[in-house]
Amino acid sequence: MLLLGNGTAGVGDGTFQSARNTALDFYPTSLAVGDFNADGKLDLVATSNVYYSGYEGHVNVLLGRGNGTFGTPRTSTVDGSYFNSVASGDFNGDGYSDVAATDVIANTVSVFVNDQYWPPTPPPSVSINDVTVTEGNTGSVNATFTVTLSAAADDDVTVHYATADINATAGSDYTATSGDVTIPAGQLSTTLTVVVTGDRTAEANETFGVNLSAPVHATLGDASGIGTIVDDEPLISINDVTVTEGNTGSVSATFTVTLSAVYDAPVTVHYTTANGSATAEITPPRPGT
């Protein structure tokens, strides 16, 4: 792991911001600075090594973005080598930084001349996650979606978003919204919020979509996020009861009506009996009525 200070060195009082980390493929041994693609931004070169059936030395160039972050390492591999130190300089006078690395296996200095070919990395893809919220009985709750890049970009990434009904309805279940979000250069994510409306209607869980479109400096990955609104009204149920009728008189069959969860308001439900294999006794009307 390569630990990088912030891109502007210190903050002027002898302290530094938190380290910014860039992963290398294998074990780094040394580091140098140069401008390998001649764009005026400082880049890094780091040596690393691995042992399989023999040693394999790597020279990794990380192109700088000019904001303290770096692109994915571009690696040159030399079989049978173990690089333990590296330096950068324009060894052939063509205006591009080259690399020299010492090889402790061969007891040599290896020079890597810059071929000036640095194709741009493909743009990252932008995706949005799925979110589940419990709607509540009153007021509203926020469904917060995260928009994420597959890799940090050299430029600000902008993408448009818009909500869409699935089986939830905008205006009653949630508030329709649309707009643009920006992920600054060198960063990986940002968030957007959809307001979900609470109610006391017992209903199935509902869903809505948040769709991404028209990305700038990125391509579309998973462009559809699903918002699931979980209904929290309690379920009401009644139990079964068995009684022995007796030979005379009557006996009460006491049923229990139960909620699946405690509610913050009184719950009312209508009930009525119905014949099964038993027949309800009909009380005759009184004379004169």
Side-chain angles (χ1 to χ4, degrees):
M1 185 69 71
L2 181 66
L3 300 178
L4 305 175
N6 78 46
T8 57
V11 296
D13 60 358
T15 64
F16 294 83
Q17 296 181 12
S18 299
R20 303 179 183 183
N21 301 328
T22 300
L24 293 181
D25 51 356
F26 298 113
Y27 312 108
T29 55
S30 59
L31 178 70
V33 177
D35 183 5
F36 299 104
N37 59 350
D39 64 353
K41 302 172 184 177
L42 288 178
D43 310 312
L44 296 177
V45 57
T47 54
S48 58
N49 301 281
V50 68
Y51 185 86
Y52 293 122
S53 57
Y55 284 105
E56 183 178 278
H58 294 187
V59 174
N60 310 277
V61 174
L62 295 79
L63 297 180
R65 299 188 176 104
N67 61 358
T69 65
F70 296 85
T72 302
R74 304 179 184 215
T75 302
S76 299
T77 301
V78 181
D79 291 335
S81 294
Y82 188 98
F83 297 124
N84 69 326
S85 63
V86 67
S88 172
D90 183 5
F91 301 123
N92 61 350
D94 63 357
Y96 285 79
S97 293
D98 308 307
V99 172
T102 56
D103 184 343
V104 297
I105 296 295
N107 292 324
T108 60
V109 174
S110 300
V111 175
F112 297 82
V113 175
N114 192 339
D115 65 4
Q116 305 176 19
Y117 178 65
W118 299 97
T121 55
S125 61
V126 60
S127 300
I128 188 169
N129 67 329
D130 300 329
V131 173
T132 298
V133 295
T134 301
E135 66 177 1
N137 306 128
T138 59
S140 62
V141 62
N142 289 335
T144 301
F145 292 80
T146 301
V147 180
T148 305
L149 292 178
S150 59
D154 294 339
D155 301 290
D156 291 352
V157 170
T158 302
V159 65
H160 184 73
Y161 68 91
T163 54
D165 290 357
I166 299 179
N167 60 351
T169 303
S172 58
D173 298 313
Y174 71 98
T175 301
T177 184
S178 64
D180 298 304
V181 293
T182 298
I183 302 175
Q187 298 187 22
L188 288 173
S189 65
T190 189
T191 59
L192 62 90
T193 298
V194 178
V195 178
V196 173
T197 305
D199 62 41
R200 294 187 181 278
T201 302
E203 55 196 350
N205 294 346
E206 299 169 311
T207 55
F208 62 92
V210 180
N211 299 317
L212 303 181
S213 62
V216 178
H217 298 136
T219 59
L220 289 177
D222 183 353
S224 296
I226 303 299
T228 300
I229 304 172
V230 177
D231 182 71
D232 60 348
E233 269 60 52
L235 302 177
I236 192 166
S237 58
I238 189 170
N239 68 329
D240 299 328
V241 173
T242 299
V243 296
T244 301
E245 65 180 359
N247 300 317
T248 59
S250 62
V251 62
S252 295
T254 302
F255 293 81
T256 301
V257 179
T258 305
L259 295 179
S260 60
V262 175
Y263 204 48
D264 64 347
V267 173
T268 301
V269 64
H270 180 75
Y271 70 92
T272 184
T273 58
N275 289 343
S277 58
T279 303
E281 179 180 335
I282 301 176
T283 303
R286 295 179 181 178
T289 59

